[in-house]
Amino acid sequence: MKFRRCLAVAATVTVATPIALLTAAPAFAAGTSAGPTQNQPTYAELTQAATDAQKTYDAAVTAEKEGRKELEATLKALDSDTHPLRAAVTAANKTAKEAAAVKDAAEKAVTDAEAKLEAAQSDTEKAEAQQVLEAAEGDLAKAIAAQQVADAAAAQAQTALDDARVAAARKYHQVQQALETARAAKEAADKALATAKQCVREDGLTSLAVGLPTEVAAGTTVDFTLRVTNGTRRTLTVDNLVFFHKAGEDRGTKDLLKVEWSNGPVWQTLNGEEPQHIARIDAMKPGEHSEVKLRMTVDPAAENADAFALLAGDASDAYNPCVLGPMKRYEFKLTPSGDKTDPVDDAKPGDPGQNDDERPGAAKPGKGSGLSAQGGASQQVTTTTATGAGSHGSLAATGSSSAMTPMALTSAATVALGTGLVVAARRRRSTSDV
């Protein structure tokens, strides 16, 4: 009964995991703004399809194992002398053999009677020999008929035994076919899900700093804005990735920059050591934008130094768990306290470093590198905001994700320092959200 239940489950694999659903994963060109296509399955649907396909495949594997055991047991039983079908074959063959012996004896009796008839001399002897021959021929006819019946019975018994063997083999073959179908469906589901997990580039998801000056004096505070715009054709859940740091500053040293953010009445402080996701926007429709207030205070002990900010929008939608907006890099100078400052322009977004668009694995920081991430993880601080231009919602800090992997940096120039950190953070986010 258990085997039959497993067989039934395995046989319905094409119903449990429609191939059309599994092969409908989208393909987006890098950097383009693409929306969902007609009848495109969502990421949740692909995930469920992969889960169902795995369950069906597991059931088919179990059914195949049980089916193979059942086949071996059936064939072994059919070969046993105690099995009814085998016993029937044995009995029928014995009867057929006995009938053949009776027929052979009858044939010999006819041959002997014919010889006596030929050897008879008198009419009386001939008459008696003729009677014996006729009786022998009658017995032979009966023996032939009996042998035909016995042979037919033996053939029928053998056919019944052979049919039982074929039925057992056919039943197991059906289980094997169900397993292969389940395997193909599982592979298609896994492939579709893997395709959906791949990060999609969206140039239309922009993150810009508005009002960040090109020079900031030590001991002063500047206010500016992070402006996020959804210029794509997707409705996105957006995590704003931000990072501010003094160029070349090692991890563990006193941070000269204190950066806070707010999209409501409460201000929160960035850790200053790693990129962070802040102010999550749960449903940002195409064409909408949102603003997050930022303020930066430079330590009074700061001297002439270069600093940088990296901003990007990491997002997801119903179809892709990893949607990446372009990285923007802002460079500005830190000046000593008390320096005479003339009005300065706003910092302009520059081109990101060459590593921004890559997803490298963790690497050991080289000698003389700036900030090194030794076991650190990009923190995820989220707030739920209403969609729409300039709208703000309630604050709901969630802390960091323990599922994120450690980050490491290569050495070299300031660009590699900053961009490497953000790349690692974006990689961790996309992996942990999947």
Side-chain angles (χ1 to χ4, degrees):
M1 184 64 69
K2 180 180 179 183
F3 168 67
R4 292 176 180 174
R5 287 198 299 269
C6 292
L7 176 61
V9 172
T12 60
V13 62
T14 55
V15 177
T17 312
I19 298 299
L21 175 64
L22 303 179
T23 57
F28 299 109
T32 62
S33 178
T37 60
Q38 186 177 9
N39 299 325
Q40 176 184 324
T42 65
Y43 181 72
E45 290 172 338
L46 291 174
T47 301
Q48 186 61 52
T51 299
D52 292 342
Q54 182 66 55
K55 291 179 179 178
T56 303
Y57 174 74
D58 292 341
V61 170
T62 300
E64 190 277 333
K65 291 180 179 178
E66 294 183 356
R68 185 169 63 252
K69 291 179 181 179
E70 181 175 319
L71 173 63
E72 293 171 352
T74 298
L75 295 180
K76 183 177 180 180
L78 290 173
D79 288 337
S80 173
D81 293 336
T82 59
H83 193 280
L85 293 178
R86 171 61 68 181
V89 169
T90 300
N93 286 339
K94 180 180 179 181
T95 300
K97 184 177 180 180
E98 292 173 347
V102 171
K103 187 202 72 168
D104 291 343
E107 288 178 343
K108 184 175 184 306
V110 169
T111 301
D112 292 344
E114 289 175 343
K116 287 183 178 182
L117 180 59
E118 291 180 0
Q121 299 296 323
S122 63
D123 291 339
T124 300
E125 290 177 348
K126 290 181 180 180
E128 291 176 353
Q130 183 63 40
Q131 290 179 351
V132 173
L133 176 60
E134 290 176 356
E137 289 176 341
D139 292 339
L140 177 59
K142 293 178 181 180
I144 292 175
Q147 185 185 25
Q148 291 174 344
V149 172
D151 288 345
Q156 185 176 4
Q158 186 63 52
T159 298
L161 180 61
D162 293 341
D163 287 347
R165 290 176 176 273
V166 171
R170 183 180 293 114
K171 185 177 182 180
Y172 176 64
H173 179 65
Q174 291 174 346
V175 176
Q176 286 181 308
Q177 287 183 319
L179 176 59
E180 291 306 312
T181 302
R183 191 195 314 278
K186 176 184 176 299
E187 290 175 353
D190 291 343
K191 182 178 180 181
L193 184 60
T195 299
K197 286 181 179 180
Q198 294 176 358
C199 290
V200 176
R201 304 286 182 171
E202 283 285 12
D203 290 344
L205 177 60
T206 60
S207 301
L208 301 175
V210 180
L212 174 64
T214 56
E215 293 184 8
V216 185
T220 63
T221 299
V222 294
D223 293 285
F224 53 101
T225 301
L226 168 63
R227 184 181 181 90
V228 182
T229 302
N230 183 5
T232 75
R233 290 186 289 167
R234 303 166 178 265
T235 295
L236 298 172
T237 297
V238 182
D239 286 316
N240 305 295
L241 186 67
V242 297
F243 184 52
F244 293 80
H245 215 73
K246 175 187 173 184
E249 187 175 49
D250 292 331
R251 181 187 175 96
T253 59
K254 182 179 179 181
D255 193 5
L256 297 177
L257 303 180
K258 177 183 178 183
V259 182
E260 300 171 281
W261 68 274
S262 173
N263 61 354
V266 179
W267 285 88
Q268 297 189 69
T269 303
L270 300 180
N271 64 24
E273 296 179 349
E274 299 168 336
Q276 284 183 253
H277 290 105
I278 65 172
R280 167 171 288 195
I281 307 167
D282 284 333
M284 190 176 222
K285 295 180 180 179
E288 292 185 338
H289 72 270
S290 181
E291 294 183 348
V292 181
K293 293 182 293 184
L294 294 171
R295 66 188 181 194
M296 179 173 61
T297 300
V298 181
D299 191 285
E303 300 179 354
N304 281 322
D306 293 327
F308 63 89
L310 294 173
L311 307 176
D314 289 352
S316 63
D317 67 2
Y319 303 92
N320 295 89
C322 179
V323 179
L324 303 178
M327 189 80 65
K328 298 298 180 182
R329 180 183 179 87
Y330 292 81
E331 296 182 350
F332 54 95
K333 289 186 176 294
L334 305 181
T335 60
S337 176
D339 276 8
K340 182 179 179 180
T341 58
D342 295 325
V344 296
D345 296 329
D346 288 348
K348 303 299 181 182
D351 294 332
Q354 62 180 358
N355 295 326
D356 283 348
D357 290 334
E358 298 177 1
R359 294 297 183 270
K364 295 181 179 180
K367 294 181 180 180
S369 65
L371 181 63
S372 63
Q374 301 171 356
S378 171
Q379 293 187 7
Q380 170 69 59
V381 182
T382 63
T383 62
T384 302
T385 65
T387 59
S391 59
H392 306 291
S394 60
L395 187 64
T398 61
S400 63
S401 170
S402 61
M404 295 178 179
T405 58
M407 187 169 53
L409 298 177
T410 59
S411 61
T414 302
V415 172
L417 166 64
T419 58
L421 276 170
V422 177
V423 166
R426 300 182 88 187
R427 178 181 178 89
R428 286 198 303 273
R429 177 199 172 275
S430 63
T431 302
S432 62
D433 285 351
V434 170

